[in-house]
Amino acid sequence: HWDVDDSSESFSRLMKHITKTTRFKPHFERALSDWRLYSKPEGLIVADIGAGVAWTSALMALRPEISKIYVVEPSKNRLNCAEAIAKHFNSPREKLVFIEGTFENPKIPESVDIVSLCASIHHCWDEEIPKLFENIRSMLVPDGVLLLSNEHYVNRLYSIRLFFSWIKHFPNRSLNWRTPPDPWSGEHVRFKYELDKIFKREGFEVEYFPLEGNLCNRNAKWRWIDRLTWTYYYAILRLK
């Protein structure tokens, strides 16, 4: 579904994935509609870091408040797809600047009003975070904002959930009070208190906005244990 070219079939697969299979697009659009992001009615500059195939950048380019978006992604293949996706969305091509960059070296050439990380920070390894936030602080204008969207956190009850899962599968599973990062994708399941500590350490104030339902599977049953321990959210952060 991420492999998009100029064909309508490939774009239809992407749209099915982000609108029907998952809640990626509606949850991102909810975040993007938040008035707190827009300090002025036009001329805003955005850095979309870890943009993937940049469907998020294409949607942001449709906003009249935004005049330029730096689309930062380390994969050349995904940046190629990003060009095609922008065309499918009829996004103004002149607003989009594609950069082959990383969390640690985003290569943004000017200050920006908004830094956007959509479904990105949970792929960021702990050792990468200080440099990422150093870059964000250096690129944001004084009243700029950091938007984290399509993200998740767990609360302390999640450890109890893991404990009971361990009992259920004993002795075939070792006890772990947290879910370790995925070694291939780098996906992290972080506790909210861990995120709070990170943001405080990096000099940001954060406001969380919880979202309903399973982000990654629209048809999955959202069980009571999921509601109790797991939260999907977007957040807006400002420098202290």
Side-chain angles (χ1 to χ4, degrees):
H1 48 260
W2 300 124
D3 189 13
V4 179
D5 53 30
D6 291 334
S7 68
S8 59
E9 293 81 7
S10 66
F11 184 61
S12 294
R13 288 195 299 269
L14 171 70
M15 291 300 291
K16 179 181 179 181
H17 181 69
I18 64 177
T19 61
K20 296 181 179 179
T21 304
T22 70
R23 289 182 170 88
F24 290 172
K25 184 171 181 283
H27 275 197
F28 179 72
E29 288 176 325
R30 171 64 188 88
L32 195 60
S33 69
D34 196 308
W35 60 271
R36 299 169 186 85
L37 297 175
Y38 306 109
S39 58
K40 51 188 178 182
E42 61 183 5
L44 293 172
I45 300 174
V46 178
D48 192 2
I49 301 177
V53 296
W55 61 270
T56 52
S57 300
L59 289 177
M60 286 189 285
L62 298 174
R63 298 284 309 195
E65 303 91 342
I66 296 172
S67 64
K68 184 189 295 184
I69 302 162
Y70 290 104
V71 184
V72 182
E73 167 60 36
S75 167
K76 289 182 179 180
N77 289 337
R78 290 197 167 191
L79 285 176
N80 289 336
C81 293
E83 294 260 16
I85 288 170
K87 292 178 183 177
H88 286 296
F89 274 112
N90 292 318
S91 302
R93 178 60 181 83
E94 66 275 9
K95 288 187 177 184
L96 298 164
V97 180
F98 297 97
I99 297 175
E100 189 179 336
T102 64
F103 287 136
E104 295 180 298
N105 187 16
K107 304 177 184 177
I108 305 296
E110 64 179 316
S111 296
V112 303
D113 301 283
I114 302 170
V115 174
S116 174
L117 295 170
C118 180
S120 294
I121 200 167
H122 64 259
H123 289 289
C124 190
W125 292 89
D126 289 345
E127 57 268 26
E128 296 175 328
I129 284 180
K131 184 62 177 178
L132 168 64
F133 275 89
E134 179 185 331
N135 289 329
I136 292 172
R137 288 192 301 270
S138 68
M139 72 177 73
L140 274 178
V141 298
D143 60 344
V145 297
L146 167 60
L147 171 64
L148 305 180
S149 57
N150 290 8
E151 283 295 343
H152 58 262
Y153 60 72
V154 294
N155 58 37
R156 293 177 188 271
L157 292 176
Y158 185 75
S159 292
I160 299 176
R161 179 177 174 180
L162 293 178
F163 176 72
F164 283 111
S165 178
W166 170 71
I167 292 175
K168 179 180 179 180
H169 295 94
F170 182 83
N172 298 318
R173 181 180 296 179
S174 59
L175 177 60
N176 198 327
W177 294 106
R178 59 179 299 159
T179 301
D182 184 275
W184 181 76
S185 68
E187 179 161 352
H188 290 66
V189 178
R190 291 188 172 100
F191 289 87
K192 183 176 179 291
Y193 75 84
E194 292 180 294
L195 293 173
D196 289 337
K197 286 182 178 178
I198 290 170
F199 301 148
K200 183 178 180 180
R201 182 191 71 209
E202 300 300 336
F204 283 84
E205 295 178 342
V206 58
E207 189 171 4
Y208 297 95
F209 301 92
L211 297 167
E212 287 295 322
N214 189 320
L215 172 71
C216 299
N217 188 343
R218 182 181 283 272
N219 298 315
K221 185 177 180 181
W222 197 229
R223 303 169 300 168
W224 67 269
I225 191 66
D226 299 316
R227 293 177 182 272
L228 193 62
T229 60
W230 190 288
T231 300
Y232 289 107
Y233 72 93
Y234 75 91
I236 295 176
L237 289 77
R238 298 180 186 274
L239 284 165
K240 293 181 180 179

